[in-house]
Amino acid sequence: MGIIDIIASIIPAAMVYAAPLIFTALGGVFSERSGIINIGLEGLMVMGAFVGVVFHLTFYDTFGAATPWVSILVAMAVSALFALVHAVASITFRADQVVSGVAINFLALGIGLFLTKQWYDKGQTDMVERPFYATDIPGLSQIPIIGDWFFSDWYMTSYLAIALAVLVWFIIYKTPFGLRLRSVGEHPMAADTNGIKVYRMRYIAVMLSGAFGGLGGSVYALTVALNFSHSTIVGQGFMALAAVIFGKWHPLGALGAAIFFGFAQSLSVFGSGLPLFEDVPQIFLLIAPYVLTILALAGFIGRAEAPKALGEPYVKGSR
Amino acid sequence: MLFSNRMINILIPIISVLLGLLSGAIIMFFFGYNPVEGYAALWNGAFGDSYFFGETIRQVTPYILSGLAVAFALRTGLLNIGVEGQVFVGWLASVWVGISFELPMVIHLPLAVLAAALAGAFWGFIPGILKAKLGVHEVIVTIMMNYIALYISNEMVRSVLTDGADRTPEIFPTASLASEWLASMTFYSRLHYGILIALFMAAVMWFVLNKTTTGFELRSVGFNQNASKYAGMNVSKNIVLAMVISGAFAGLAGAMEGLGTFGYMNVKSGFTNIGFDGIAVALLGANTALGVVLAAFLFGTLKIGALNMPTEAGVPTELVEIVIALIIFFVASSYIIRWVFLRFKKEGK
């Protein structure tokens, strides 16, 4: 196998694993930029995966070939609502955001498995028959090399992930909404003085993180896992959180980090078959994302500066 | 006074538990189960006969220790989400010592337990030193350390402790906490001597935090780092120390599983949740030694009792996970409960 073919097989595989991380990390960027820590990304992904799979299984007859797309939209909506729990606890009730996030993770898995038992009478759902499929882009896939690398065997969701990352970057850095969002996360009192509704911005941000987390979870479920069980989402949410930090709370940074983590994940799955990586023990690829995040945080790979008001509940009128 | 602050502090966990259980009842009712039957099944599953009771206490044992681990760090103002990973390395270390040496019990068992505590302490030291020296937030580092622990332990079991097998051999009986006596008393449940260690460590935590200078410094750093520094305390030393001790407690929780309940370590596809449940235990126990023991008892009861719910009442076990998650929410949102109380207080005057 030549190097070009190797790359042609690595890139789409890496993107399959990266796409859910990208979606979820973008959600994390929204939430954390508004000053709300979101450890609950894992739970939001669980909820998304659960809703995505169940909706797909239930409504395939109604929506036919469009079902996967409808499913991820529904998963986004439900997860956004589910994220409200985190929003209410951590914004209105001033709960510790980390603790509330931990509770979100418990709650999502609890609800998902409880309803799975309830509806399917077993520990996991049935398999999804017609999930997302990888496709070649007509025309573009004919281009030599680049066509093989970037336009053959890709899932549409992978393109969507990259497009959304650019969109989120635009929203956060180029629109008034984004400026308000960032100001609320850096200095909520100053923002409040300027007439920005801090609570409302934070609610929106947390719900957006729910929508994106749900999208990530459902895309993972409908491209990789194909069913829902206790082991569908194991750590992808935390990895997305790592991508947020590794990417320095920047949408495009998160995109890069998520692609890298996806690459590491896919290598730990397929790597043994590839000439360059067959000698690298799998364990190093497995722990690479986590070790790199710690190193990034410790400042060995450029200092990562968190939003200033991250984790602090805003109490109107206090200084 | 009708509701003193102390009173409210005690009432909040109790109210949270009641609200959690009530929500569970509502969910059961909503899905067409009989809540009374459901909770009766849970009760029988935890205390119905001596076997169940033994299993409940067995489950309480690691919860006490993981709860102590979270609580100890929280008293110094650190949130140790990494208890899960510290449990893993503790479990691994205890089993490693348990299968590698043949020693008399008086040396072997303490050695294995100590190894677990040291491994956990080391796993806590890394986020501690990063926090103290570089100001890196301990929450993210400990989360990452969890996954590193999970994958490294799996790899160790597969390629170092065995030759590609999925579980280690049984530990030598000289390193085991298992007790013929306790087991036979409880219809051969997996109850083991670990509960004594757990209760002893709870006493140790109470003593260290409340009766020693070190404990005073640790709590002081938890209250206000700047004031502590001004008073001449070494803040970064205390942060590292808190994480190390917290990690040691967590490592011991791993030893309970490795030397007591299972007697081996196997390759795991995911977390044991002992560490994550420890967060719930510590929160509910208000970070005090006695509170942790009581909260561990409650969660152990819920977890073991839940196993009986499908057979006796048809209710899925997972209901309890939802109840526990809601209890955490209610405790974490205690601001609102407190607010309601203060409302009452004002009007009562």
Side-chain angles (χ1 to χ4, degrees), chain A residues 94 98-99 117-118 235 238, chain B residues 33 79 147 151 283 318 335:
Chain A
R94 298 176 206 163
V98 173
V99 173
K117 278 261 176 70
Q118 190 70 32
F238 286 116
Chain B
Y33 302 112
L79 184 57
Y147 286 95
Y151 291 123
L283 278 172
E318 285 75 16
Y335 160 75

Side-chain angles (χ1 to χ4, degrees), chain A residues 99-112:
Chain A
V99 173
S100 166
V102 170
I104 282 279
N105 293 339
F106 276 124
L107 193 58
L109 203 56
I111 293 176

